[in-house]
């Protein structure tokens, strides 16, 4: 009102408020928010209107044009937010489904990032090695195998260094967390991105 009403340079703040509101609430509530903004906008125009400065036709044209902009911003933002929430839900469901499959594998599955840190540790790996997921994920891979009679570091380094290989198979005597000795077969494969860039190492183990 104090910055000029219909001639104010701050009218764009309505659009920002409408967009933010439409992203945070459902589409119907976003349109209600937009209607409230339109009502307040028209109220300001009526309060400050002076026919000596602006013809009535011009005021109506500008007000209606901006009203259309307000509603378009609300509809587009609300639709975008709805689509984004739907895609996020689908992605979460897919992630949960994939994780459920990996957790119910009979073989132990461990993934290690390019820095040697464990990033995934399924239930079978926990049963085989005796470590809980919370103890493994986020720690260096050799913290789980430091008591092995046959060190597997050379196999890990080989898989890290030869990114073009498909997989390596080997056997090793591994000590579980409680000190028991197990003979385990391992399959080690490089983990790559869609672009073929090396991202880490995949361990599959079977006691």
């Amino acid at each position: 009102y104090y910055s000029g009403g219909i001639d104010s340079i701050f009218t764009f703040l309505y659009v920002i408020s409408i967009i933010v509101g439409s992203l945070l609430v459902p589409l119907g509530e976003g349109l209600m928010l937009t209607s409230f903004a339109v009502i307040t906008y028209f109220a300001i125009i009526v309060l400050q209107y002076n026919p000596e400065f602006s013809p009535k036709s011009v005021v109506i044209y500008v007000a209606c044009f901006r009203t259309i902009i307000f509603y378009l911003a609300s509809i587009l933002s609300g639709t975008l937010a709805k689509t984004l929430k739907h895609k996020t839900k689908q992605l979460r469901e897919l992630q949960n489904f994939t994780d459920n499959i990996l957790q119910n594998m009979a073989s132990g599955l461990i993934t290690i990032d390019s820095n040697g840190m464990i990033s995934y540790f399924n239930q079978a790996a926990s049963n085989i090695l005796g470590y809980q997921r919370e103890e493994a994920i986020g720690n260096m891979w050799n913290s789980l195998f430091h008591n092995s009679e046959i060190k597997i570091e050379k196999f890990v380094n080989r898989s890290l260094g030869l990114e073009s290989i498909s997989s390596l198979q080997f056997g090793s005597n591994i000590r579980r967390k409680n000190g028991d000795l197990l003979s385990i077969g391992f399959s080690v494969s490089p983990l790559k991105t869609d672009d073929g860039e090396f991202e880490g190492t995949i361990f599959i183990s079977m006691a």
Side-chain angles (χ1 to χ4, degrees), residues 99-109 122-125 127 204:
D99 186 64
N100 189 45
I101 293 175
L102 297 178
Q103 286 298 323
N104 286 280
M105 287 176 57
S107 301
L109 177 64
N122 74 348
Q123 186 59 46
N127 296 336
I204 298 178

Side-chain angles (χ1 to χ4, degrees), residues 135-175:
E135 298 176 282
I137 295 177
N139 293 317
M140 298 300 293
W141 68 270
N142 51 13
S143 65
L144 270 63
F145 302 105
H146 62 280
N147 289 324
S148 304
E149 286 192 352
I150 299 178
K151 301 295 184 181
I152 65 172
E153 182 174 358
K154 59 180 179 179
F155 296 101
V156 176
N157 289 340
R158 183 182 175 190
S159 69
L160 290 174
L162 301 177
E163 300 170 7
S164 61
I165 65 172
S166 57
S167 65
L168 293 170
Q169 289 79 36
F170 63 94
S172 179
N173 291 325
I174 301 296
R175 290 198 179 276

Side-chain angles (χ1 to χ4, degrees), residues 43-193:
I44 291 175
I45 292 176
V46 171
L47 289 173
Q48 67 92 48
Y49 175 67
N50 189 333
E52 295 181 2
F53 296 99
S54 300
K56 186 177 181 179
S57 58
V58 173
V59 172
I60 294 175
Y61 172 79
V62 173
C64 291
F65 176 77
R66 289 178 176 174
T67 297
I68 293 173
I69 296 298
F70 293 167
Y71 278 107
L72 284 177
S74 177
I75 293 172
L76 292 176
S77 300
T79 303
L80 177 63
K82 184 178 180 180
T83 302
L84 182 61
K85 289 178 181 178
H86 180 67
K87 294 295 183 181
T88 302
K89 182 181 178 181
Q90 286 184 323
L91 182 61
R92 188 181 299 111
E93 290 175 349
L94 178 61
Q95 184 178 7
N96 292 337
F97 178 71
T98 304
D99 186 64
N100 189 45
I101 293 175
L102 297 178
Q103 286 298 323
N104 286 280
M105 287 176 57
S107 301
L109 177 64
I110 305 172
T111 60
I112 299 172
D113 64 21
S114 58
N115 297 317
M117 186 173 293
I118 298 172
S119 56
Y120 192 85
F121 196 80
N122 74 348
Q123 186 59 46
S126 178
N127 296 336
I128 294 172
L129 299 176
Y131 293 92
Q132 298 299 316
R133 295 184 69 186
E134 295 76 13
E135 298 176 282
I137 295 177
N139 293 317
M140 298 300 293
W141 68 270
N142 51 13
S143 65
L144 270 63
F145 302 105
H146 62 280
N147 289 324
S148 304
E149 286 192 352
I150 299 178
K151 301 295 184 181
I152 65 172
E153 182 174 358
K154 59 180 179 179
F155 296 101
V156 176
N157 289 340
R158 183 182 175 190
S159 69
L160 290 174
L162 301 177
E163 300 170 7
S164 61
I165 65 172
S166 57
S167 65
L168 293 170
Q169 289 79 36
F170 63 94
S172 179
N173 291 325
I174 301 296
R175 290 198 179 276
R176 304 178 75 244
K177 181 181 178 181
N178 62 6
D180 294 342
L181 187 65
L182 290 177
S183 179
I184 298 179
F186 282 98
S187 175
V188 184
S189 305
L191 178 63
K192 299 180 180 180
T193 64

Side-chain angles (χ1 to χ4, degrees), residues 5-24:
I6 197 169
D7 298 322
S8 174
I9 62 173
F10 299 108
T11 306
F12 72 92
L13 294 177
Y14 276 102
V15 179
I16 295 177
S17 299
I18 289 170
I19 291 175
V20 173
S22 298
L23 291 174
L24 296 176

